[in-house]
Amino acid sequence: MSVAARWEKQGDIGIITVDSPPVNALSAPVRQGIFDGVKALDADPEVKAIVLICDGRTFIAGADITEFGKPPKGPDLRSVQETMENASKPIVAAIHGTALGGGLETALAAHYRVAVPSAKVGLPEVKLGLLPGAGGTQRLPRLIGPERALKVIVDGNPIPAPEAKDLDILDAIIDGDLKQGAIAFAQDLVAKGAPARRVRDIPIDASSLPANFFADFRKGLAKMRGFPAPEKIVQCIEAAVALPFDEGMRIEREGITELMASTESKAMRYMFFAEREVAKIPDVPKDIALRPINTAAVLGAGTMGGGIAMNFANAGIPVTVIEATQEALDRGLGIIEKNYRNTQAKGRLTAEEVDKRLGLITGSLSYDDIAGVDIVIEAIFENMEVKKEVFRKLDAILKPGAILASNTSYLDLNEIADVTKRPEDVIGLHFFSPANVMRLLEIVRGAKTAKDVLATCMALAKTIGKIGVVAGVCHGFIGNRMLSRYSAEANKMLLEGATPHQIDTVLYNFGMPMGPFQMTDLAGLDVGARARSEFPDLFPIDPAFPVFADILVAQGRYGQKTKAGFYKYGDDRKAQPDPDVEAIIAAESEKRGVERRVISDEEIIERCIYAAINEGARELEEGIALRPCDIDIIWINGYGFPSYRGGPMFYADTIGVDKVHAAVEKYRQKYGERGWKYSSLLEKLARAGKGFADWKDVV
Ligand code: 3HC
Ligand code: NAI
């Protein structure tokens, strides 16, 4: 027997049990075990039906992603499936936890499927830049019809068992013990003389498909630009409809082979592991005792505070919102209610759910009301003196052990922590706007932050549906520090000859959701201008370059809200290039004696993206970021960097760090150390011919 699967008999039912923690992924030993188990039990004359079940927390969660790209070992999954499908006795897959990807595909090669009510099934390969490569694109349409199958596979989201039963993916829901229920189901099949029903033999009725079904579906894929998998999935379902099963399987195989080798899929597989890696903090023990978080408070009900409070209410944690005035409190709570009611109007929450969440949010003007809470998150004005005053006040009233967090974007957390008598309880929790929507939470570890406070906040991130990434203290932490370089170069290129539209188009085509100038128009040019004028120390300006946003603000162009910023806007809020802006920019170039030149698309990518990568390398050197994957997760989840490029540091590896380094050097020669600061890590990697994946080898 394989170490990963065993088989036994209970009466006339054979049982194959997969046991390969943590998630029973289809590694070579698991495939071998199922293969051998089916062969043995099928050949045993006493056995009349077979149950395939898993030990541990879940049914098979998919192919073993760590095996991808390595030479195959043992029987491949398709041979295992053929052995199952061709067995003479009915095989019942018994599902708990999640049957995902190759896991569900294995179940589809069984003749029947049963599951506990809490189980979920799905084909999430698209999220790894792949398509289901073990018959999922051919068997699922036969089982549930091509229309529904296409949607399920392109969405990639897990489907709860009751819904999967309604869809006919499952034959029965088992209440109570799964193993006993599955055995009873198998015995019933035997009693009825039910056949070993092969999904591959189910015919597809193509006449039921709406006219132009595939063409219309493809139109909807436009929003998934840059991702090659969805189109390939459509091709496979087309094949399932038009061609015999084996032909369809051939097309599926071609599709997955091509996708598996693509940079996009490599990037997305890297992201899968990166998301899990960032949760690990090397010097914090995994089993460290966490502080309980049963109640929370948020200071400030402005843009950020309201969204932060909603996160707690959504997770069922009561939260008190403190404001400076009744008017601000009423306004803030009003916006929270409006947001919830909008979600309700869209049918994503019921009225009862909204009422329950609103019931968890209490407004107050008095700090005395929060003396007993487990955590406070300060989200008031970005001003050091104001924040220090508030932290002194919190220190005086909060119970011992409470966590004091700041949502500051740029300020020195250590300076804030040091005004308290408990700097070990102080931490940065940097949410992204809109805070109730954006998945990223940058968790800023101060010089004195206690390990259990850090671990508690990482766990809290998960509780409130965020992905927490640890950052060290510096101006802008990991994400905004790199963004400053990205935006500064975009601004400089305007003076030298580019237009906002040109730069935005190049970066949009690179895969960013929008370019930096459209982004600024959306956020409001006045917001940055005010911050620069109020806190010149926080936002140092290179005197050799004008800040175009400030020039536009002086002319009343605040962005979308005034229908004019770097672009002009009609009632449809669509950004249109504005000749007036181009004239303002050209006049500035002339005033400063800068001869405008043609700026190439390549230069735009280099100056924006490579500048950010260089800054990321410096953050690694300084220990601000723990690993390249922390930076990548931040840029994908906080700034919309395309996931199919795997984040800026992974992207650097795909194009070659030596190439990035050469370009960075070129710009340092031209513009000097002020903008293009030296990174010894970038240089060492380039010289060693290595990438960020191997950065530890050179530090
Ligand atoms: N292969 C290898 N390792 C896997 C894995 C897989 N398919 N799925 C999970 N793991 C590992 C994780 O990396 C993690 O390792 P770590 O503890 O060392 O960090 C460990 O298993 C536990 O995973 P999670 O932390 O994610 O555990 P959760 O309980 O939160 O979630 C899960 C469990 C829902 C199963 C989640 O792990 C998941 O979504 N897994 C991936 C599912 C998937 O994408 N399957 C499709 C694979 S592609 C495929 O099947 C191709 C086929 O068509 C041929
Ligand atoms: P905001 O101006 O929208 O809201 C701040 C609120 O704090 C105001 O409603 C104000 O009345 C209230 N306030 C001021 N002093 C207070 C006090 N002593 N006690 C209670 N409430 C008080 O500001 P915003 O944008 O929400 O920013 C808050 C913090 O979050 C800042 O530190 C900012 O840097 C940070 N941040 C902002 C992001 C954004 O996109 N707006 C993104 C990430 C962080």
Side-chain angles (χ1 to χ4, degrees), residues 22-23 57 61 63-65 98 101-102 105 124-125 132-133 272-273 276 280:
V23 295
R57 65 204 228 208
D64 185 341
I65 307 171
T98 43
E105 291 175 296
E125 285 87 343
F272 175 84
F273 290 110
R276 283 148 185 85
K280 298 167 191 159

Side-chain angles (χ1 to χ4, degrees), residues 293 295-301 304-312 319-322 367 370 373-380 387 390-391 394 398 402-408 425 427-431 435 441-442 457 460-461 464 466:
I293 303 287
T295 51
V298 175
L299 304 187
M304 295 306 287
I308 297 171
M310 288 172 77
N311 287 315
F312 283 96
V319 55
T320 305
V321 178
I322 301 279
Y367 281 54
I370 60 169
V373 297
D374 297 321
I375 186 167
V376 177
I377 300 175
E378 164 279 308
I380 62 171
K387 291 212 197 263
V390 162
F391 270 74
L394 290 175
L398 290 182
I403 295 177
L404 288 67
S406 173
N407 183 46
T408 179
D425 294 343
I427 193 164
L429 290 181
H430 181 216
F431 288 79
L441 181 60
E442 223 176 355
C457 289
L460 174 67
I464 61 173
K466 306 284 176 202

Side-chain angles (χ1 to χ4, degrees), residues 301-303 323 325-337:
T303 309
E323 255 296 351
T325 64
Q326 189 64 45
E327 195 194 343
L329 184 61
D330 292 344
R331 190 182 57 230
L333 294 179
I335 292 171
I336 291 176
E337 169 146 20

Side-chain angles (χ1 to χ4, degrees), residues 50 148 188 343 366 407 433 448 574 697:
I50 300 166
R148 296 193 297 186
D188 193 40
T343 313
S366 166
N407 183 46
S433 180
K448 297 177 189 157
K574 257 185 103 170
D697 295 353

